[in-house]
Amino acid sequence: MENMKVVVLGANRYGFDDEKTGRRVEGCKVHYISTGNKPGENELGSIPMSQTMEFSFFNKIGQVPGIYEAVTALDMRGKKLGIKIVDFKFIEPVTFEMPVKA
């Protein structure tokens, strides 16, 4: 399976107690855009995506925004076979320069 290059825009971690079960829910959500994304018929530009990772992954993320290799694996959910990102490996930093108005 081929990995893809993405631009990781940011990450946030969360932790809360599920009100129904009382169970602790924790995770890290990584927000990214694909570098090879081609907009669909009803899209303009790049639409950010996200992948939920383990809570501890938050400390593994390096510089953001940055270019990362998204490591993928097959993921079986019920009867559907899909692709899931299982790791992000830092490649290089990236900057977004905004015009400054005086």
Side-chain angles (χ1 to χ4, degrees):
M1 177 161 311
E2 189 174 316
N3 296 332
M4 60 184 171
K5 282 188 182 176
V6 299
V7 177
V8 172
L9 302 170
N12 62 294
R13 61 181 169 184
Y14 55 89
F16 59 90
D17 294 324
D18 185 299
E19 291 180 13
K20 292 182 181 178
T21 65
R23 191 179 68 118
R24 185 78 179 156
V25 178
E26 294 183 326
C28 171
K29 190 172 271 194
V30 179
H31 305 272
Y32 66 95
I33 55 175
S34 175
T35 60
N37 189 29
K38 293 187 174 106
E41 183 177 324
N42 297 314
E43 296 176 348
L44 292 173
S46 295
I47 309 300
M49 296 172 276
S50 62
Q51 179 65 52
T52 302
M53 308 294 282
E54 294 290 326
F55 184 83
S56 62
F57 192 79
F58 184 83
N59 296 323
K60 184 178 176 185
I61 288 287
Q63 185 174 343
V64 291
I67 298 175
Y68 284 75
E69 176 185 9
V71 180
T72 58
L74 293 176
D75 183 42
M76 188 70 161
R77 293 196 181 222
K79 294 182 180 180
K80 289 189 175 186
L81 182 62
I83 297 174
K84 179 180 179 179
I85 296 173
V86 294
D87 197 6
F88 290 90
K89 294 184 178 178
F90 182 74
I91 297 174
E92 62 185 321
V94 67
T95 59
F96 297 107
E97 301 211 13
M98 303 296 286
V100 178
K101 294 183 181 179

